[in-house]
Amino acid sequence: MFSKYRNFQAVVQPIFRRLSTALKTDEGVSQCNSNYTSTLNIHEPGNHLPIFRILNEDGQLNDPSVSLNLDEKTLISMYKCMVSMKETDKILYECQRQGRISFYMTHYGEEAASVGSAAALNSDDLVFSQYREVGVLHWRGVPLDDLINQCFGNEEDLGKGKQMPIHYGSKQHSFVTISSPLATQIPQAVGAAYAFKRAKNDRCVITYFGEGAASEGDAHAAFNFAATLECPVIFFCRNNQYAISTCADEQYRGDGIAGRAAGYGISAIKVDGNDIIAVYQATKLAREFILKNNKPIVMEALTYRKGHHSTSDDSTAYRSKTEIENWESKDPLRRLKLFLQDNNWWNEELENAYKSDIKKRVLSSMAMAEKKKKPNWKEMFNDVYNEMPENLKEQMKYMEDHLSKYNQHYPLENFKS
């Protein structure tokens, strides 16, 4: 064990020595570019960052002279993607309420943040998600069957039933598997971005998280590592106003999450997260910036969680129905729909036909997923280590003997043999 530790030190320490040397000047470590003063002042928090927006709440251009940099076909695809998310959410939410799956989280009101950002990325840019970014998977073409199989945890679930529903992952689509603990993915994303920088492969990393997760220590550590190591990573904060039951006013002071970037020496963008065109343009600019400069950026998308935190939550216990209703006028689907209709690119007939098609496909996929068997019970021991250690082998043998003796008490016929 100690020899392995010494080998690790031998590899890592020279890297940190080189990094330390790179940060030094002839006068020592460069820490401050400010001027000196003999006047003592208390400096109050600075001005708030402006919020970038293209479409107002009525689907009209804020500035008619602004170029959208998006064509009709792409805008319709983005709208369809958001509609797919919403219709799928409706059915799977009810599915959980019927006891057919164990858990679910909807994305109501936040669809533009994930779809708009996904559309601006390259398909091989690596995604470290939290758990409201299924829009990225929809945009990248992950089959609906894969998503629903995961929620049912059946034998065709890519995760082999090891994760809670909606904890998606797809190596093929450069989407790292979601984990429940908040903010753990943020420093992991920085590490991946640093590897990409060294590989010079013209790929970037984006990590999504909520404003609640930004209060975790992992987020602050990640910001600092990304700044000092100059990593091409987009920190995409989806500020939906609530960390479960704690509203944003009770979570932090100052200018949201983007306002923290300056303290770490990181650039920032604040964007209207319910304006999918603005999210697209902001993400596209952020990607160009981080790859050109090999530096991180913090993006804060201001949106609103219209649904409950999860199927384990009742949000009316901590916010009023009036508050939720007031956000209907800011809904991202409504906003883009009005814009498309004003340009004669969409109408109610197309809307109803598409919703009907999506509903049929989700119900069909769900019916098939429900009939499939669960993974073989031995899968709970696999994929943990490259080579299974003795303690796991012993546990698996114990389980095997137990099931052999008491098989009549377990529904083994529902599991793949």
Side-chain angles (χ1 to χ4, degrees):
M1 174 181 175
F2 292 106
S3 63
K4 290 182 180 178
Y5 176 68
R6 284 194 294 270
N7 290 338
F8 174 77
Q9 283 185 310
V11 173
V12 172
Q13 283 182 342
I15 294 175
F16 278 96
R17 279 198 293 268
R18 288 197 297 272
L19 288 171
S20 177
T21 302
L23 292 171
K24 291 183 179 179
T25 67
D26 291 338
E27 297 179 352
V29 179
S30 176
Q31 294 287 350
C32 181
N33 294 317
S34 301
N35 296 322
Y36 292 99
T37 179
S38 299
T39 304
L40 178 62
N41 289 311
I42 292 175
H43 298 278
E44 296 292 336
N47 296 327
H48 288 264
L49 294 174
I51 302 169
F52 178 62
R53 171 188 277 186
I54 296 292
L55 298 180
N56 64 25
E57 292 167 12
D58 295 320
Q60 304 292 319
L61 293 173
N62 264 354
D63 182 352
S65 66
V66 171
S67 174
L68 297 183
N69 297 318
L70 286 165
D71 57 26
E72 174 187 348
K73 182 180 178 181
T74 304
L75 285 168
I76 291 174
S77 295
M78 292 165 79
Y79 180 69
K80 284 183 174 181
C81 195
M82 289 197 292
V83 172
S84 296
M85 288 177 65
K86 189 169 184 177
E87 295 303 307
T88 304
D89 273 352
K90 286 179 183 177
I91 295 171
L92 288 176
Y93 182 85
E94 291 302 320
C95 181
Q96 191 281 334
R97 286 296 186 241
Q98 295 164 5
R100 295 159 73 181
I101 59 176
S102 61
F103 178 81
Y104 195 70
M105 302 180 83
T106 62
H107 308 76
Y108 302 141
E110 303 177 59
E111 296 90 348
S114 59
V115 177
S117 56
L121 299 169
N122 283 6
S123 60
D124 64 346
D125 288 336
L126 191 59
V127 176
F128 285 80
S129 172
Q130 194 164 318
Y131 38 58
R132 288 192 212 277
E133 279 74 46
V134 72
V136 178
L137 294 171
H138 277 278
W139 182 261
R140 291 191 172 184
V142 173
L144 186 60
D145 288 347
D146 285 357
L147 301 179
I148 294 179
N149 285 334
Q150 194 284 326
C151 288
F152 277 88
N154 61 35
E155 61 183 310
E156 293 191 19
D157 168 20
L158 298 178
K160 301 178 183 178
K162 290 183 170 69
Q163 289 276 8
M164 291 171 63
I166 67 91
H167 287 54
Y168 307 113
S170 176
K171 184 176 181 179
Q172 179 185 349
H173 297 90
S174 300
F175 192 98
V176 178
T177 303
I178 298 167
S179 59
S180 288
L182 285 181
T184 54
Q185 77 278 11
I186 310 178
Q188 294 166 5
V190 175
Y194 184 59
F196 285 1
K197 172 186 173 179
R198 290 175 63 86
K200 299 179 181 180
N201 58 15
D202 200 36
R203 294 173 67 190
C204 77
V205 177
I206 186 168
T207 178
Y208 295 90
F209 53 95
E211 82 289 347
S215 296
E216 295 285 342
D218 300 71
H220 298 278
F223 286 177
N224 200 45
F225 269 111
T228 55
L229 297 178
E230 299 185 329
C231 303
V233 57
I234 299 173
F235 293 108
F236 192 104
C237 177
R238 174 187 27 75
N239 190 337
N240 66 13
Q241 313 297 313
Y242 282 94
I244 307 184
S245 59
T246 307
C247 66
D249 288 345
E250 298 173 2
Q251 292 179 53
Y252 55 77
R253 294 293 180 266
D255 187 19
I257 309 307
R260 301 177 189 176
Y264 292 98
I266 302 178
S267 302
I269 295 175
K270 185 174 282 194
V271 63
D272 183 344
N274 287 358
D275 177 357
I276 194 169
I277 299 176
V279 173
Y280 169 86
Q281 290 197 10
T283 309
K284 195 170 184 65
L285 179 63
R287 186 182 187 277
E288 292 170 357
F289 172 84
I290 65 173
L291 286 176
K292 180 180 178 181
N293 298 287
N294 263 325
K295 291 183 178 179
I297 196 166
V298 174
M299 277 187 64
E300 182 176 9
L302 298 172
T303 180
Y304 187 76
R305 194 194 79 211
K306 287 168 57 180
H308 306 302
H309 174 72
S310 72
T311 48
S312 303
D313 173 48
D314 177 9
S315 64
T316 59
Y318 50 82
R319 61 181 180 179
S320 68
K321 291 183 178 180
T322 302
E323 177 187 312
I324 300 170
E325 291 167 358
N326 287 340
W327 276 85
E328 285 296 330
S329 62
K330 301 177 177 66
D331 183 78
L333 279 84
R334 174 184 177 274
R335 192 179 301 192
L336 183 57
K337 180 181 177 180
L338 289 172
F339 179 77
L340 294 174
Q341 287 177 332
D342 285 349
N343 285 277
N344 296 315
W345 295 341
W346 195 254
N347 55 50
E348 289 302 322
E349 184 179 352
L350 291 170
E351 176 95 2
N352 294 333
Y354 187 69
K355 284 184 177 179
S356 176
D357 178 58
I358 287 295
K359 184 176 180 179
K360 288 177 183 176
R361 283 194 279 152
V362 173
L363 290 172
S364 174
S365 180
M366 196 170 70
M368 290 189 293
E370 203 166 21
K371 292 175 183 177
K372 293 169 185 172
K373 291 188 174 185
K374 300 296 182 184
N376 187 295
W377 63 266
K378 290 184 180 180
E379 290 294 350
M380 75 172 83
F381 298 98
N382 296 328
D383 300 332
V384 180
Y385 299 94
N386 185 43
E387 294 183 12
M388 190 181 295
E390 289 303 317
N391 64 314
L392 280 190
K393 289 179 181 178
E394 290 173 9
Q395 290 177 34
M396 187 164 69
K397 181 64 168 60
Y398 176 86
M399 185 70 175
E400 199 167 22
D401 293 342
H402 178 82
L403 291 176
S404 178
K405 187 175 182 179
Y406 302 106
N407 64 81
Q408 70 274 21
H409 297 294
Y410 296 92
L412 295 177
E413 69 279 2
N414 297 334
F415 290 77
K416 186 177 179 181
S417 58

